Amino acid sequence: MDDLFAGPEVPPDLNGVGRDCGERVGKLERRGRGVALNMGSRYDRERTERVDDGWQQSEEPPAATTVSTDRSRSVLTRNTSPDVPFDRSVNPYRGCEHGCVYCFARPSHAQLGFSPGLDFETQLVVKPEAPALLEKALRKPRYSVAPIAIGTNTDPYQPIEREYRVMRGVLGVLEAFAHPVCITTKGAAVVDDVDILGRMGRRGLAQVTLSLTTLDRKLSRSLEPRAASPGRRLAAIKTLADAGVPVRVNLAPIIPGLTDHELEALIEAAARAGATAANYTMLRLPLEVATLFRDWLARERPERANRVMSLVRDVHGGRDYDATWGRRLRGEGVHARLVARRFEIACRRHGLGEQKPLRTDLFAPPPRPGDQLALGL
């Protein structure tokens, strides 16, 4: 499956910078990107490492984005995780150009033979047949309708969506079938589909979640270099809400010792923009993400690195990450309980409650050319 809901614990050789941390990328090559490492896939039998032999005259040029095509014969991914509120999802893309340092989906790129480091941001995979494959799945006689989640692994509104338009094609299919959908994104390009989402939202068929990490533009640019700025995400919330789309804000991730102090301000800003519900997740560092995040801290926030990682371990039972269902998303311990209480109070203060369930009773496969129509009695 594409979705990485619960990775195993971080193995010892990936639990700290300097232990098999892979190839370090030069400043010029990583310009505009999130990470400075490009470790090999954990499935590789051999490893490569750059060595300065004295002949290199200049740094490699900035890393370019390349896109390959996924020719999978199915697009619906099933999920049985007990602590997520959906059982099926669609992911139009693999890898994500947003380059979020903390992205829990990075380890899934190793399944394709790519690095969870820089490759995750630059070696992207598109599923151009996703709309057609989705329509085929929805037309199966035994298909049972339930909300489809999109954006559960990598962002459907990352920059390449404006070229490939896979997400718009998927939404066109869902609207034609009157099928419910919930979308999670930090891409302001979601407003490009406000026409479809507005129509579906007003019928109770669509909800959108905008992820916010920080209101600090400088920190956002460092943590999530090619994602929309905080201001643009708040503007997207307003545009969607004004069009009749129920919008949730997701504080994701809350980074202890770095962004947790912004919790109340983030909730207030989202509520003012038009969000009606909220959620949060604690920072998760599965597998290679722990190495990448530690390296980012050492480069960008060295004065806070020890404090941040101490709090991260505090909320994850003394480890960088605890993948146990029921604890992995919110954490445990004193600091986690304090965050939960602050979140509850802030939501109550600003009137953010639960969203209505999406409708499933409207689902109806549209007739195809040549289909025999039902006789009216």
Side-chain angles (χ1 to χ4, degrees):
M1 61 188 292
D2 286 350
D3 305 271
L4 191 72
F5 296 112
E9 296 177 10
V10 180
D13 66 336
L14 292 173
N15 204 30
V17 175
R19 298 185 190 175
D20 196 23
C21 64
E23 185 176 284
R24 181 164 294 279
V25 180
K27 287 185 178 180
L28 180 61
E29 189 176 358
R30 71 171 187 260
R31 188 172 65 188
R33 305 294 180 174
V35 300
L37 298 175
N38 209 37
M39 70 277 289
S41 164
R42 60 186 175 277
Y43 302 112
D44 291 345
R45 294 185 177 182
E46 298 179 351
R47 304 268 173 156
T48 61
E49 184 176 348
R50 289 184 184 180
V51 176
D52 184 1
D53 60 2
W55 286 92
Q56 186 173 343
Q57 299 300 311
S58 60
E59 284 196 59
E60 294 289 332
T65 299
T66 62
V67 182
S68 55
T69 300
D70 185 322
R71 297 297 183 187
S72 298
R73 291 179 291 179
S74 63
V75 72
L76 268 182
T77 299
R78 297 288 178 168
N79 158 57
T80 58
S81 299
D83 55 357
V84 294
F86 56 86
D87 67 355
R88 66 201 69 184
S89 61
V90 170
N91 288 289
Y93 304 100
R94 301 191 72 170
C96 187
E97 199 173 4
H98 283 156
C100 302
V101 174
Y102 51 74
C103 183
F104 73 91
R106 284 182 176 273
S108 66
H109 225 44
Q111 298 166 8
L112 304 178
F114 294 125
S115 169
L118 188 63
D119 283 355
F120 179 78
E121 309 172 37
T122 58
Q123 303 291 327
L124 310 182
V125 180
V126 61
K127 301 178 181 179
E129 302 302 320
L133 292 171
L134 178 60
E135 178 171 357
K136 181 180 178 181
L138 300 186
R139 287 193 182 277
K140 290 182 177 179
R142 299 182 65 180
Y143 179 77
S144 177
V145 64
I148 289 176
I150 305 181
T152 59
N153 195 49
T154 56
D155 203 309
Y157 286 104
Q158 58 182 286
I160 60 171
E161 165 62 14
R162 284 195 159 130
E163 176 182 354
Y164 288 91
R165 309 299 281 163
V166 178
M167 187 60 186
R168 187 167 182 86
V170 166
L171 287 178
V173 171
L174 294 172
E175 183 181 25
F177 280 73
H179 193 293
V181 62
C182 49
I183 299 167
T184 299
T185 182
K186 56 171 64 74
V190 65
V191 300
D192 292 350
D193 293 333
V194 71
D195 53 339
I196 300 177
L197 290 170
R199 292 192 298 267
M200 295 184 71
R202 292 189 293 271
R203 298 179 68 194
L205 292 170
Q207 297 171 352
V208 175
T209 297
L210 263 294
S211 295
L212 281 175
T213 311
T214 177
L215 295 176
D216 183 331
R217 286 177 57 91
K218 184 177 179 181
L219 178 58
S220 176
R221 186 57 57 205
S222 177
L223 270 173
E224 38 200 26
R226 298 199 178 195
S229 68
R232 290 182 64 205
R233 287 182 234 178
L234 291 169
I237 291 176
K238 184 178 189 311
T239 298
L240 292 166
D242 289 348
V245 183
V247 183
R248 178 194 305 268
V249 63
N250 192 20
L251 311 189
I254 289 179
I255 303 176
L258 188 64
T259 66
D260 52 351
H261 67 284
E262 296 188 67
L263 187 154
E264 289 82 3
L266 288 165
I267 292 290
E268 180 179 2
R272 286 183 176 180
T276 57
N279 188 32
Y280 78 91
T281 59
M282 200 66 73
L283 177 68
R284 300 158 59 186
L285 299 176
L287 297 169
E288 294 91 348
V289 185
T291 294
L292 295 166
F293 185 74
R294 284 174 175 274
D295 183 68
W296 179 87
L297 278 173
R299 287 185 292 108
E300 301 291 336
R301 292 291 190 275
E303 76 286 356
R304 303 186 72 88
N306 289 337
R307 172 64 173 166
V308 169
M309 291 309 302
S310 175
L311 288 172
V312 167
R313 288 189 293 271
D314 180 68
V315 301
H316 288 301
R319 292 169 286 183
D320 288 349
Y321 178 53
D322 179 4
T324 305
W325 284 328
R327 295 201 299 262
R328 62 199 177 102
L329 299 179
R330 298 294 180 88
E332 60 180 345
V334 174
H335 192 77
R337 290 195 295 271
L338 177 61
V339 168
R341 181 59 177 158
R342 289 171 55 200
F343 178 79
E344 178 186 350
I345 293 172
C347 287
R348 188 165 58 244
R349 178 182 300 135
H350 295 287
L352 301 186
E354 293 295 322
Q355 290 181 321
K356 293 181 180 179
L358 291 169
R359 295 185 65 176
T360 58
D361 58 308
L362 300 178
F363 177 74
R368 294 169 292 190
D371 283 355
Q372 182 176 347
L373 301 179
L375 296 176
L377 299 178

